[in-house]
Amino acid sequence: MKELKKDEFPSKKWNLDYGFSGNVEINGIKTTIIIAFNEHYPYKKPIFFLKDYDALDFIPHVENDGYICYTDDNIILNSQVPNEILEQTTLLVLDTLKKGNNKVNINDFFEEFEDYWNRNHAQFDTTLISSFRPTEEVQLIRRAKIGGKIIIGLDDNAIVETAIRFKTSRRPNKALFRNCIYIPLENPLLPPNYNDFWESEELKSKIFENVSAENRKKLSEILDKYHKIKKEELIVISQPKSNGLVLYGVIYKGLNEDNHPLVMDASFNIKPVDIIRLEKEIIQPRGGGDTTLNEKKILLIGCGSVGSILAPELIKFGIGNITIVDNDFISTDNIYRHQLGLNFLSKNKAIAMSKFLEENYPYTTIKPIDNSIENSVTNSIIDLQDYDLIVSATGSPNTNFYLNNYLFKNTINTPIIYCWNEPYGIGGHSLLVQNRSSCYNCLYDENLVNKGSFCLPGQHFSKKIAGCSSSFVPFSSLDSHKTAVLTLDLVKNFLNNNIHNNPYLSWKGDNQDFINAGFMTSKRYDLSNNELIKSRYEYIDNTCSICSIK
Ligand SMILES: [Zn+2]
């Protein structure tokens, strides 16, 4: 064992403070490993390196600086007994190295191919952006260099769309579009050794040995017709792993031929290409979205305090198409209650939210409507039948009555959720009407008192900051979040077909501020959370003037 100085560690990225090197024997091969510690050890795991990263051959879980990935970060270290940690982790390291040298974990190379490929970064000379969804078939696809990056796509339109969507250029149409060949391998290749990239002849035989018979034929046909070779030719390769396809690129440099290098018996300069995959199918599921929801269309009415929380969350569910209706603009007194703050001051709420969503969440279709819902419906700007779900988050009972009456009178069966906050944080509600057995109007008695409210009737909560134009009901952003969570759960359960009736759901908050402001709560506020859930259908009024006329 030899103690190491701080500058003797193979990598700076781990903030290592002290360590040792020593010799071990793995499968009869003598080699040197380094054990290093951060000053926060034993709260940070010890870091191990192979002094020479391919001393045991090029094996999985050893990076190009020799770093040995022996565990994921879920290991819990017992800081009371540092010696045991050292023993436990050393065993894991030796096991990882042994498995690698015995090639029993070679499958990890295929499963984590991208990680090993990306450690070739020293050799990358270009970054490639792909919105192309890899297929099982050899084919010609298109490429263009736009804004310093190569973009590949199924066709030129797909490339232009990608450039616009990911803002690589303002004028992507001016780019030069060219062909490149896409080759899906049937059997996966091992990643190339970090410091020893494939030779072109080697790659050529690997490709022809590992494509399916059908694709080999197709590839030969394409190559026969592939002329007008440029200085650089790109090929894009995919190979299988357990949960999909890996995509990588190789670029041939300095060409001066008539034929594609893949048909030539000569040696060429080739470089690995780093691919950033921005396909819809890759981006969306990783964010936790459900791709089956992508076809759903939602109409969001009201993009205020609650609506501005709902909109991005609906997109993160995987909803691909949202129309947002709001004719209000973001004012100074909205800033601390609206998700879009100062940046969007004086902008229309629907348009501002649409801009925000399109910039941050690719592959979504957002249609903003700067108008009231009443005008939008009357003037046929929108058709309520076009949607899978309507969410009314205006908090305005008058708008909700309008929607409820309109849907019933015109026999429009689009499901709708109404949601709103109570004042001073005492609660919030969400009502789903997905069939004609009950409706929003059922909530109200003959004196237009909301039976589902947490407030005793006859009280007025509007506050005015600076005259009539800025009156508002006092509630906080946190209240809006709670109402949004209640509503989003309801949306999710509805979209997953877990609800078959029209429940009226509530969250109940603290009433201290409400009481201090001189107000009184209703009897319904006294119900426990369990009782609130149990009574979720009690609002239904069999004599309702809107829904009980059968
Ligand atoms: Zn009703």
Side-chain angles (χ1 to χ4, degrees):
M1 290 280 257
K2 179 185 159 233
E3 193 169 348
L4 295 176
K5 293 199 193 75
K6 224 176 156 167
D7 60 354
E8 289 179 300
F9 299 120
S11 168
K12 288 197 169 60
K13 76 175 173 195
W14 299 97
N15 285 321
L16 300 168
D17 294 298
Y18 56 99
F20 310 90
S21 72
N23 294 327
V24 292
E25 201 175 297
I26 309 274
N27 295 340
I29 305 166
K30 283 199 179 107
T31 186
T32 304
I33 60 172
I34 292 162
I35 310 171
F37 304 87
N38 175 278
E39 64 169 317
H40 300 296
Y41 179 79
Y43 297 100
K44 297 275 181 197
K45 67 181 182 192
I47 302 295
F48 292 76
F49 298 92
L50 260 180
K51 197 171 177 201
D52 181 7
Y53 80 90
D54 57 0
L56 300 166
D57 211 345
F58 179 52
I59 60 172
H61 307 296
V62 180
E63 298 186 2
N64 42 343
D65 57 8
Y67 171 80
I68 303 164
C69 177
Y70 62 91
T71 176
D72 55 38
D73 282 328
N74 295 328
I75 187 172
I76 295 175
L77 308 170
N78 184 351
S79 58
Q80 304 305 313
V81 275
N83 283 343
E84 268 180 32
I85 296 176
L86 202 54
E87 203 179 308
Q88 184 194 0
T89 52
T90 304
L91 285 174
L92 287 170
V93 165
L94 295 177
D95 186 53
T96 303
L97 296 178
K98 209 167 174 177
K99 277 184 182 154
N101 187 252
N102 288 336
K103 303 204 184 302
V104 294
N105 59 2
I106 200 154
N107 204 42
D108 297 355
F109 262 151
F110 302 129
E111 289 303 306
E112 296 160 26
F113 185 95
E114 281 124 324
D115 289 345
Y116 298 97
W117 181 265
N118 289 336
R119 282 184 206 117
N120 287 301
H121 49 76
Q123 301 173 64
F124 289 154
D125 71 349
T126 185
T127 297
L128 194 147
I129 293 179
S130 171
S131 62
F132 166 69
R133 188 180 187 185
T135 60
E136 309 265 314
E137 205 172 65
V138 165
Q139 58 181 310
L140 279 180
I141 57 173
R142 299 288 279 169
R143 59 168 283 199
K145 196 157 194 170
I146 298 175
K149 293 188 171 66
I150 296 178
I151 302 182
I152 58 168
L154 203 53
D155 52 37
D156 297 357
N157 274 343
I159 291 174
V160 170
E161 261 175 40
T162 304
I164 292 170
R165 184 167 280 142
F166 298 100
K167 299 182 198 73
T168 59
S169 165
R170 287 209 188 120
R171 289 193 299 171
N173 288 306
K174 302 253 169 184
L176 204 64
F177 294 86
R178 296 169 46 192
N179 282 333
C180 64
I181 304 178
Y182 165 69
I183 308 166
L185 301 180
E186 191 175 35
N187 313 303
L189 306 184
L190 287 171
N193 193 330
Y194 305 131
N195 292 336
D196 187 16
F197 191 59
W198 300 322
E199 298 295 330
S200 65
E201 294 98 325
E202 188 187 355
L203 174 64
K204 183 180 158 189
S205 45
K206 279 178 195 291
I207 288 173
F208 281 94
E209 280 161 22
N210 290 289
V211 287
S212 67
E214 200 181 320
N215 275 331
R216 194 176 304 129
K217 198 170 149 242
K218 208 163 226 165
L219 179 58
S220 299
E221 285 167 14
I222 289 176
L223 288 169
D224 279 347
K225 290 183 218 150
Y226 202 101
H227 299 297
K228 284 194 217 157
I229 301 298
K230 307 287 180 197
K231 265 191 190 162
E232 286 185 1
E233 282 297 332
L234 170 74
I235 57 172
V236 178
I237 302 170
S238 76
Q239 68 179 42
K241 63 173 177 175
S242 61
N243 62 346
L245 293 172
V246 177
L247 197 68
Y248 51 99
V250 173
I251 200 155
Y252 290 80
K253 312 275 290 183
L255 298 176
N256 183 21
E257 321 288 333
D258 293 327
N259 296 311
H260 196 283
L262 275 178
V263 294
M264 307 282 290
D265 284 319
S267 177
F268 300 98
N269 178 14
I270 58 171
K271 295 268 186 197
V273 175
D274 164 32
I275 297 192
I276 300 172
R277 288 174 76 174
L278 299 172
E279 307 141 56
K280 190 174 179 178
E281 292 75 12
I282 291 246
I283 288 186
Q284 287 186 331
R286 284 191 185 175
D290 175 351
T291 45
T292 60
L293 297 177
N294 204 250
E295 307 302 315
K296 303 280 184 198
K297 279 180 83 175
I298 291 192
L299 172 63
L300 176 62
I301 302 167
C303 193
S305 188
V306 176
S308 68
I309 301 166
L310 294 177
E313 292 304 318
L314 290 171
I315 286 189
K316 289 180 217 168
F317 276 179
I319 304 288
N321 192 317
I322 303 184
T323 300
I324 304 174
V325 183
D326 201 314
N327 63 349
D328 197 10
F329 59 92
I330 297 173
S331 61
T332 43
D333 47 306
N334 286 145
I335 288 173
Y336 278 86
R337 300 203 297 176
H338 201 276
Q339 292 303 294
L340 305 175
L342 192 60
N343 239 347
F344 292 90
L345 190 64
S346 304
K347 300 272 192 305
N348 169 266
K349 287 177 179 172
I351 293 171
M353 180 52 77
S354 154
K355 188 165 187 286
F356 171 78
L357 295 176
E358 278 177 347
E359 281 179 356
N360 287 283
Y361 304 99
Y363 304 114
T364 49
T365 307
I366 315 292
K367 186 179 172 194
I369 295 175
D370 175 3
N371 209 328
S372 70
I373 184 63
E374 295 84 351
N375 275 340
S376 305
V377 170
T378 307
N379 299 326
S380 303
I381 298 169
I382 57 171
D383 183 343
L384 298 177
Q385 304 198 71
D386 281 351
Y387 298 91
D388 295 292
L389 177 68
I390 301 168
V391 179
S392 172
T394 63
S396 156
N398 292 325
T399 298
N400 290 344
F401 278 126
Y402 165 79
L403 286 165
N404 188 60
N405 293 357
Y406 188 91
L407 291 169
F408 271 84
K409 276 193 186 130
N410 294 287
T411 334
I412 296 170
N413 291 320
T414 310
I416 180 166
I417 291 175
Y418 304 89
C419 59
W420 64 96
N421 288 337
E422 295 271 15
Y424 294 97
I426 58 170
H429 311 279
S430 228
L431 168 68
L432 167 67
V433 177
Q434 63 170 324
N435 62 47
R436 304 180 76 81
S437 66
S438 65
C439 75
Y440 179 79
N441 190 63
C442 287
L443 275 169
Y444 287 82
D445 68 13
E446 64 280 9
N447 300 315
L448 288 181
V449 167
N450 184 338
K451 296 172 288 176
S453 173
F454 286 158
C455 308
L456 211 61
Q459 308 176 93
H460 294 282
F461 308 102
S462 277
K463 269 194 168 181
K464 287 177 184 178
I465 298 181
C468 296
S469 65
S470 64
S471 75
F472 70 100
V473 177
F475 55 80
S476 71
S477 176
L478 181 58
D479 303 336
S480 297
H481 274 273
K482 290 178 184 172
T483 299
V485 168
L486 182 77
T487 304
L488 290 162
D489 268 336
L490 191 55
V491 170
K492 194 167 186 186
N493 282 324
F494 163 75
L495 292 173
N496 290 336
N497 283 321
N498 290 336
I499 304 179
H500 303 285
N501 288 307
N502 299 341
Y504 174 65
L505 304 177
S506 305
W507 66 268
K508 192 172 109 166
D510 189 87
N511 65 355
Q512 207 55 57
D513 291 345
F514 184 78
I515 301 290
N516 289 347
F519 297 112
M520 283 178 290
T521 53
S522 68
K523 277 214 171 98
R524 190 156 187 279
Y525 178 83
D526 296 332
L527 297 182
S528 70
N529 282 324
N530 262 342
E531 288 166 333
L532 285 171
I533 291 171
K534 270 189 203 154
S535 62
R536 65 193 181 279
Y537 299 116
E538 281 178 14
Y539 75 96
I540 297 173
D541 178 2
N542 292 324
T543 63
C544 172
S545 61
I546 302 294
C547 67
S548 68
I549 302 163
K550 302 277 151 63

